Amino acid sequence: MIRRLIALLGPERSRPLKRAAALLAVAAALQGAVFAFLLPILRAPEDAGPWLTAVVVATAVCGLAYHRGVVTAREAGYTLSAHLHRRIGDHVVTLPLGWFTPARSGALGRLATQHVMSVMGVPAHLLDPLVGAVVTPAAAVVALCAVDWRMGLAALAAAPLAVAACRWSGRLVRRTDEAADAAAGEAAARVVEFARNQPLLRAFGLGGPGLRLLDDALVAHRNAARRMLTTALPGLAVFVVTVQAAFTALVLVAVFAALGGQVDIPTTVAALVLAVRFTEPMLVAAELGAAVRLAGGALDRIERVLAEPRLPEPEVSQAFGTPSIEFEAVRFGYAGTPVLEDVSFTVTAGTMTALVGTSGAGKSTILRLVPRFFDVDGGAVRVGGADVRDLRGADLLRRISLVSQDTYLFAGTVADNIRFGRPDATDEEVRSAADRAGLGELIARTCVGEGGTRLSGGERQRVSIARALLKDAPIVLLDEPTAALDAAAERAVTRALDELRGERTLLVVTHRPATARAADRILVLDGGRITESGEHDELLRLGGRYAAFHARRENARGWRIPAGRNTEGD
Ligand SMILES: Nc1ncnc2c1ncn2[C@@H]1O[C@H](COP(=O)(O)OP(=O)(O)OP(=O)(O)O)[C@@H](O)[C@H]1O
């Protein structure tokens, strides 16, 4: 474990850790030596002077080394946790945005808090007893050999057995720890879901499937934790029995040697003291073994995230032309399940294109491919004439504003949240973006609550639109921007989109006839393919699916194209 930490920290940053281990090793060795010095003192008390001086000096040096060792170990712990946080942070910002699923985001939270703390505990709290558990018994064995070779041999014979038992129990714990961590993640996610969805759960009765999922997750977590504890027990028991047996053997050898007159009383006393020093630190370490193994599991999980492949980026971005969007024969699926097939279209710079289609047809997926949340499986997505894979992430995202279906607002004022789109915007610019998004008086709201929970869904959506309007990005992607708005707010947003036309390139997913009608071009998506494309009037004349549904629904507040050709309705 210590070797892994040194490799992770690198030669420079691992210095405090190495220094701490060396200082604690010196302290532990000196402790063993102090007990070895007892023998000449007991054998010849009249000549004990130099040995007593040696005991005093060794004890003083041991105390100093121990104190410096513990302080340095704490520093090494803090260095390690800061380094891990930085490495995790630096790495995850290079991962594809599609990597951040809710499950992974939850696991990342545990990684940055619980797991980093667990790994940090190894140098900060466990290094001292661990070094003691290795060095003190080793020093005691050397001293025992000097006192009486038979006792030294008895202690030495126990060492491989104890190490084997320790490793065995470690492997067992690691195996069950993975399952326990997965169960803990699931239980945490279900508890958050339970707390967030209280209104829904209460409205539909607390005995529903939502509660059953939580119950199952908590039971699974409890069982996994119990399994981990019980799995560790046999290894721990073998270890403790081995160490105790070694201690008993040492005592018996010492007593029989004394009774047989082969060794004198002082030697027997020194041997018994060394036998205690041999076993004591190992038993302490056995108790801490579980914490070390859990830290090993935590480090495995941290290393797995650090090994996640980064989104490959060029050193320098390709030149960016006029802000058009182009899909060429795009094929894409989530984890092997195909979603888009042979999708080709171009959104000319400064125009507005509406994407309409059946639910689940892949409209939002098309929007996600533009800022390269995922890489396509086939074909190419080009922005400003450059393949998105030939642009650096920051260069690409700087040119795109995205208004997604699930708007997240940070705790703060409405103005703070709008300013997020362009931190150096003036108050006047923030107010103007708010007005264009139909926010009106809402801009005066001082606190939106965590995640924007003090605002309604429509209000949150308008803040997100204002944020996108404020960002000076030539391309604006909107996923159902008016879905949660009332008639007045929808009119304000449609006006704002209208104003942006010509000025920015707009790609809008919509179920609203008014928004689709306002677009320069409409793409109808069905089953992952574009089946119709053209202007509103052109598509009406075509008399296809768009026309059929528009004719029936044009006065409706919202409509969706159903999956089947011959079915209709919302
Ligand atoms: N992150 C994801 N992982 C796996 N499958 C996904 C993911 N996101 C979407 N899908 C699936 O991909 C398909 C297309 O989803 P998408 O959200 O693009 O549809 P949509 O046309 O925008 O639907 P809607 O109009 O209902 O929002 C759906 O079958 C959906 O279940």
Side-chain angles (χ1 to χ4, degrees), residues 98 101 334-335 337-340 357-366 368 374 405 479-480 509 511 525 560:
T101 59
Y334 294 102
T337 310
V339 173
L340 300 177
T358 51
S359 182
K363 301 181 296 295
S364 304
T365 302
I366 286 183
R368 284 180 210 133
F374 301 93
Q405 282 183 29
D479 201 349
E480 300 200 42
V509 170
H511 290 295
L525 199 70
R560 283 167 193 260

Side-chain angles (χ1 to χ4, degrees), residues 35-123:
F35 290 109
F37 296 156
L38 286 177
L39 185 59
I41 294 171
L42 291 172
R43 273 189 183 150
E46 61 285 359
D47 298 324
W51 292 111
L52 278 174
T53 312
V55 166
V56 170
V57 172
T59 306
V61 176
C62 170
L64 276 176
Y66 182 75
H67 176 258
R68 280 308 315 151
V70 169
V71 170
T72 314
R74 297 272 191 281
E75 279 167 19
Y78 301 136
T79 307
L80 179 64
S81 81
H83 177 67
L84 286 176
H85 279 142
R86 216 172 11 249
R87 289 265 321 255
I88 294 169
D90 286 351
H91 189 72
V92 294
V93 295
T94 66
L95 298 179
L97 290 174
W99 183 85
F100 294 87
T101 59
R104 287 210 182 106
S105 304
L108 194 60
R110 285 203 306 286
L111 202 76
T113 51
Q114 197 180 318
H115 296 334
V116 168
M117 285 305 282
S118 168
V119 175
M120 170 201 171
V122 173

Side-chain angles (χ1 to χ4, degrees), residues 211-499:
L211 209 64
R212 250 196 324 277
L213 285 175
L214 170 67
D215 214 33
D216 290 349
L218 289 175
V219 170
H221 181 217
R222 235 178 5 248
N223 288 343
R226 189 184 304 140
R227 238 184 338 269
M228 190 164 84
L229 289 176
T230 46
T231 311
L233 282 180
L236 193 63
V238 171
F239 180 77
V240 171
V241 167
T242 308
V243 174
Q244 290 294 4
F247 177 69
T248 311
L250 284 176
V251 172
L252 287 177
V253 171
V255 169
F256 281 116
L259 290 178
Q262 289 142 333
V263 292
D264 53 15
I265 296 299
T267 307
T268 311
V269 171
L272 289 178
V273 170
L274 286 169
V276 171
R277 290 308 298 149
F278 173 73
T279 49
E280 199 183 50
M282 288 208 273
L283 292 174
V284 171
E287 284 168 25
L288 299 172
V292 176
R293 278 160 218 134
L294 292 181
L299 189 56
D300 286 346
R301 285 186 276 279
I302 291 172
E303 286 180 335
R304 268 206 297 275
V305 168
L306 293 179
E308 282 288 338
R310 296 158 187 255
L311 197 63
E313 280 191 4
E315 279 293 310
V316 182
S317 289
Q318 199 183 309
F320 190 87
T322 54
S324 59
I325 302 169
E326 191 188 339
F327 274 54
E328 188 193 321
V330 166
R331 186 164 47 79
F332 175 76
Y334 294 102
T337 310
V339 173
L340 300 177
E341 199 54 58
D342 195 23
V343 171
S344 297
F345 65 87
T346 302
V347 182
T348 314
T351 65
M352 172 174 167
T353 295
L355 264 172
V356 301
T358 51
S359 182
K363 301 181 296 295
S364 304
T365 302
I366 286 183
L367 286 200
R368 284 180 210 133
L369 294 181
V370 180
R372 205 185 168 196
F373 284 10
F374 301 93
D375 271 340
V376 294
D377 299 327
V381 175
R382 293 194 195 90
V383 171
D387 191 313
V388 290
R389 289 165 292 198
D390 295 330
L391 292 169
R392 291 187 64 77
D395 288 337
L396 174 65
L397 294 171
R398 201 174 51 243
R399 292 176 165 107
I400 296 173
S401 275
L402 175 66
V403 178
S404 61
Q405 282 183 29
D406 26 83
T407 299
Y408 187 88
L409 302 186
F410 296 94
T413 65
V414 167
D416 290 342
N417 271 285
I418 297 174
R419 199 186 296 279
F420 197 75
R422 182 151 54 90
D424 60 355
T426 63
D427 290 349
E428 191 43 51
E429 287 169 326
V430 172
R431 209 166 306 117
S432 153
D435 285 344
R436 288 167 86 187
L439 272 166
E441 294 310 305
L442 213 69
I443 184 80
R445 190 74 73 85
T446 50
C447 184
V448 301
E450 193 191 333
T453 44
R454 291 197 196 170
L455 298 187
S456 74
E459 289 168 343
R460 276 204 297 277
Q461 202 165 22
R462 274 177 281 164
V463 173
S464 153
I465 290 167
R467 191 190 272 171
L469 293 177
L470 188 66
K471 182 173 171 182
D472 236 351
I475 292 172
V476 185
L477 310 172
L478 301 108
D479 201 349
E480 300 200 42
T482 53
L485 305 187
D486 60 22
E490 185 185 356
R491 270 197 301 278
V493 171
T494 310
R495 251 197 325 273
L497 293 183
D498 232 23
E499 276 179 45

